[in-house]
Amino acid sequence: MGKNKEKITKREEQLLEQIKNLYIGYRKSYIKMYYNKGESTAKYYRPTWALHDYQILAHVRQKQTIGIFAGQVFCKFICFDVDSPELELSRHTTKALVVLLNHDYNISLDDIHVSFSGKKGYHVEIFLDEFIESNKMEHFYYDVLNNLGKLSEEVEIELRPLHTVGLKLPLSIHKQTNKYCHFVDNQTLRKKTDSEKYFLSIEPMSKDYFEIEILPDSKKINQVQFLNEDEKIESKKIINNINYKIDIESETKAILLVLKDKHLLYPNSRHNFCFKASIFLKEQGHDIEDTLKILTDVLENTFKYYRDMIDKSTTQDYALKELKRIVKNTYNKNYIWGQTSKEIKIYKDELKEVLNISTNGKSLHLKKLALSTLIQSKRYASQNGVFYMPYSTMTKMGNTGSRGRLLQYLLNLEEMGFLEVVSRNEKSEGTYKKKANKYRVSIAQEDGDEFIVLDLNEIGKYDLKDYIVELLTIKEAKEILTKSQFYDLGLAKLYKMKKQ
């Protein structure tokens, strides 16, 4: 114990506190890793004493490697422990899991944390800012496995920590391989340049948001229904071949060329084309039946006249069945084209209506979010005014990063009649998967002579105050805003600069 009493550096103290904040909820027992040369694998034993900060500090200093347990009733995070005989197989499964959590459960990539286990696996973790019932995390785990499917019989994805099964903490050494258990990028799985710095930057997700927006209905989850063999292969192919990042200009040109010629132009492009073209056609106003018909014609012509553009092992029936699934997912989840080419204008009267929003202590936050939803509606709303807006987009547009507070603000805007929440936490028919949350701005979108045209590539850089200064005179701004709001936004200085 004397070694552990050496002077604690500021960095060690920060790491100790962050581990306690994110991981530690149960201290009555813990596990300690050890390895005897010549044995096939490292092992763990449970010391008879409780977990103290001394053991955590020894772990941070890489003198011990310890793991923790969940409480019998409550826990504060979930870990998907991905393991297999081959690291590459674990990598593939981990990437698929991250895609699923991000796209199907609307969990921001900022809230999905992945670390290397030290041997041939990865830990995929989600942290909460408050304790949650352990059985809720168990239901979430089974729902995720249900939607992911059993990608390979060699892969295990285990729920950790449990009250009876521990989880090794990151940022120390795996005793068998002598490798550092570092954090990785959650999309590429490349090693973080500074795992400790990344770890210290982690902020837990709102427990309220997790329960309301993400947690499945536990009453409907009885057991894991794995995909059948054909669906498993199909899911793996889609995950492997679809690139979700869209370069708008070049992709639009490529899609238009294929639609014009009515056949694929490049080998092995079927997955990417079907996915991106279905989003493109949806954004152009086509319904699901029209989109399916247009893309079916492309694939049928390709099979008939340009067979070498599609893998020889892929049959036409299989490709059309897969197309139907991709198109259905695109509409159910309301995937959006990364930008829109139409001109977006914000009118003076619209801004005034946004600024007139007020409620106890939250008016500025509500005004900012209301303006963000108005802009998003103008960019992406369908003919009936419905649009999708993930929480990550709200944050990028200058709103709070707290999902719990964003949810409350959205509900406030709905109560005030500014916004309609069309659907939230809705399940797709016949599955436990959730559709994308949909909204509709309820105010009449104004017209008039006074407006500003938005640069769609710069929207994230604009703040509420920029719109005010551009569209309102200083007298108008002071009439609508309270004195504290006017000065909190720094408008006095901005109007003075505008005069110069």
Side-chain angles (χ1 to χ4, degrees):
M1 188 175 290
K3 292 182 179 179
N4 286 331
K5 287 188 175 179
E6 63 188 74
K7 186 176 179 181
I8 302 176
T9 66
K10 183 178 180 181
R11 182 81 156 192
E12 289 173 342
E13 186 176 1
Q14 291 173 333
L15 291 170
L16 174 63
E17 290 305 312
Q18 184 73 324
I19 287 177
K20 289 160 62 177
N21 177 45
L22 296 179
Y23 286 102
I24 309 301
Y26 179 79
R27 285 181 175 262
K28 290 185 179 180
S29 184
Y30 72 103
I31 54 175
K32 189 173 179 181
M33 189 180 199
Y34 70 95
Y35 176 67
N36 295 323
K37 289 184 179 180
E39 293 187 350
S40 59
T41 185
K43 296 179 181 179
Y44 295 90
Y45 73 94
R46 297 176 70 155
T48 55
W49 52 87
L51 176 63
H52 293 282
D53 286 1
Y54 297 122
Q55 285 84 36
I56 303 172
L57 184 59
H59 177 92
V60 168
R61 290 172 172 169
Q62 300 175 19
K63 295 178 179 180
Q64 292 183 12
T65 302
I66 68 169
I68 50 91
F69 293 95
Q72 195 162 4
V73 180
F74 295 101
C75 61
K76 59 196 308 185
F77 75 101
I78 185 171
C79 173
F80 296 86
D81 186 358
V82 182
D83 197 18
S84 76
E86 300 294 333
L87 182 60
E88 191 57 37
L89 189 55
S90 295
R91 288 174 61 85
H92 167 81
T93 306
T94 300
K95 288 181 179 180
L97 175 59
V98 171
V99 168
L100 180 79
L101 293 171
N102 179 228
H103 286 271
D104 283 36
Y105 290 88
N106 198 26
I107 300 177
S108 168
L109 288 172
D110 292 338
D111 292 317
I112 303 172
H113 308 284
V114 184
S115 61
F116 174 54
S117 71
K119 195 174 181 182
K120 294 181 179 178
Y122 293 91
H123 294 169
V124 180
E125 296 169 331
I126 299 168
F127 302 100
L128 303 182
D129 61 357
E130 295 180 45
F131 284 96
I132 190 172
E133 293 91 335
S134 299
N135 63 347
K136 289 185 178 180
M137 283 302 201
E138 184 177 0
H139 288 307
F140 176 60
Y141 163 78
Y142 282 116
D143 191 63
V144 170
L145 259 64
N146 182 32
N147 288 325
L148 182 65
K150 193 176 180 181
L151 296 179
S152 171
E153 292 184 359
E154 295 182 303
V155 176
E156 290 184 345
I157 304 179
E158 296 181 315
L159 172 63
R160 296 289 185 270
L162 302 172
H163 186 59
T164 54
V165 184
L167 171 73
K168 175 172 59 62
L169 295 175
L171 303 179
S172 196
I173 302 298
H174 191 288
K175 293 298 184 181
Q176 181 180 350
T177 63
N178 206 35
K179 291 181 179 179
Y180 181 55
C181 300
H182 55 262
F183 281 90
V184 299
D185 182 277
N186 59 14
Q187 293 178 281
T188 65
L189 301 190
R190 294 193 186 99
K191 181 180 179 180
K192 291 283 186 183
T193 54
D194 189 338
S195 280
E196 292 184 356
K197 182 178 179 181
Y198 170 80
F199 179 66
L200 291 174
S201 73
I202 293 175
E203 293 185 4
M205 175 190 287
S206 162
K207 176 216 173 190
D208 293 337
Y209 170 78
F210 182 83
E211 286 191 300
I212 295 171
E213 292 289 333
I214 297 170
L215 200 64
D217 184 352
S218 60
K219 294 178 182 178
K220 293 183 179 180
I221 302 173
N222 297 316
Q223 59 183 0
V224 180
Q225 299 290 331
F226 287 120
L227 299 178
N228 63 39
E229 200 64 28
D230 289 339
E231 290 173 326
K232 179 173 67 176
I233 294 170
E234 182 179 350
S235 295
K236 288 172 71 173
K237 282 187 176 180
I238 291 173
I239 290 167
N240 283 337
N241 290 285
I242 288 177
N243 176 9
Y244 289 90
K245 295 182 179 179
I246 298 177
D247 178 353
I248 304 306
E249 186 175 353
S250 62
E251 291 290 352
T252 300
K253 289 179 181 178
I255 287 170
L256 289 173
L257 281 174
V258 173
L259 295 178
K260 177 177 176 291
D261 293 346
K262 293 188 177 181
H263 65 82
L264 297 178
L265 300 177
Y266 303 100
N268 302 317
S269 61
R270 178 173 60 90
H271 287 290
N272 276 320
F273 170 78
C274 290
F275 177 72
K276 293 170 183 175
S278 65
I279 299 175
F280 175 80
L281 291 170
K282 179 179 72 68
E283 292 295 299
Q284 296 300 310
H286 294 277
D287 61 24
I288 191 169
E289 289 78 15
D290 285 342
T291 295
L292 191 57
K293 184 180 184 303
I294 292 168
L295 299 185
T296 296
D297 288 344
V298 170
L299 290 187
E300 287 180 344
N301 282 331
T302 304
F303 271 99
K304 188 172 182 179
Y305 301 110
Y306 301 89
R307 186 63 181 82
D308 58 335
M309 294 294 170
I310 298 176
D311 190 280
K312 291 180 180 179
S313 64
T314 302
T315 66
Q316 182 170 315
D317 286 344
Y318 178 82
L320 293 178
K321 179 182 176 183
E322 195 173 55
L323 169 66
K324 189 174 182 180
R325 174 175 170 165
I326 291 173
V327 172
K328 184 179 178 181
N329 280 345
T330 297
Y331 280 79
N332 281 347
K333 299 171 186 174
N334 198 26
Y335 287 137
I336 57 176
W337 201 237
Q339 296 268 11
T340 177
S341 59
K342 66 180 179 180
E343 191 176 69
I344 301 298
K345 296 178 181 177
I346 298 295
Y347 292 90
K348 183 174 183 175
D349 287 343
E350 291 175 331
L351 181 62
K352 283 185 175 181
E353 188 146 4
V354 166
L355 294 179
N356 279 316
I357 290 173
S358 180
T359 189
N360 295 334
K362 297 177 181 175
S363 55
L364 268 185
H365 301 302
L366 291 176
K367 295 180 204 298
K368 288 183 179 181
L369 184 56
L371 181 60
S372 299
T373 59
L374 176 63
I375 293 169
Q376 190 78 351
S377 173
K378 286 175 175 284
R379 296 182 73 187
Y380 296 121
S382 59
Q383 291 181 347
N384 63 0
V386 175
F387 64 96
Y388 166 58
M389 189 174 188
Y391 287 88
S392 57
T393 299
M394 296 177 194
T395 299
K396 287 177 182 177
M397 294 177 75
N399 299 286
T400 177
S402 166
R403 277 122 176 107
R405 288 196 291 272
L406 283 174
L407 173 59
Q408 185 57 57
Y409 298 160
L410 289 168
L411 295 176
N412 290 148
L413 291 176
E414 186 176 33
E415 290 172 4
M416 298 164 66
F418 181 89
L419 188 73
E420 176 188 355
V421 181
V422 177
S423 67
R424 181 173 59 82
N425 218 27
E426 183 181 339
K427 307 290 192 305
S428 297
E429 186 177 352
T431 74
Y432 299 130
K433 294 185 179 181
K434 298 179 182 62
K435 297 180 181 179
N437 296 338
K438 298 177 183 178
Y439 309 94
R440 183 189 287 115
V441 171
S442 300
I443 66 166
Q445 295 189 19
E446 302 292 339
D447 203 339
D449 295 330
E450 296 181 78
F451 60 85
I452 55 175
V453 179
L454 304 185
D455 181 345
L456 299 181
N457 295 316
E458 299 292 328
I459 281 180
K461 296 181 181 179
Y462 298 150
D463 193 15
L464 178 64
K465 60 181 179 293
D466 301 309
Y467 295 91
I468 295 172
V469 173
E470 286 296 319
L471 284 174
L472 303 182
T473 65
I474 188 169
K475 181 180 178 181
E476 290 171 326
K478 285 184 175 180
E479 287 175 350
I480 297 176
L481 299 170
T482 65
K483 185 176 181 180
S484 62
Q485 289 172 351
F486 184 87
Y487 286 101
D488 285 346
L489 286 170
L491 292 177
K493 181 178 180 181
L494 290 175
Y495 276 111
K496 185 178 180 179
M497 291 173 61
K498 187 179 180 181
K499 279 186 176 181
Q500 294 174 351

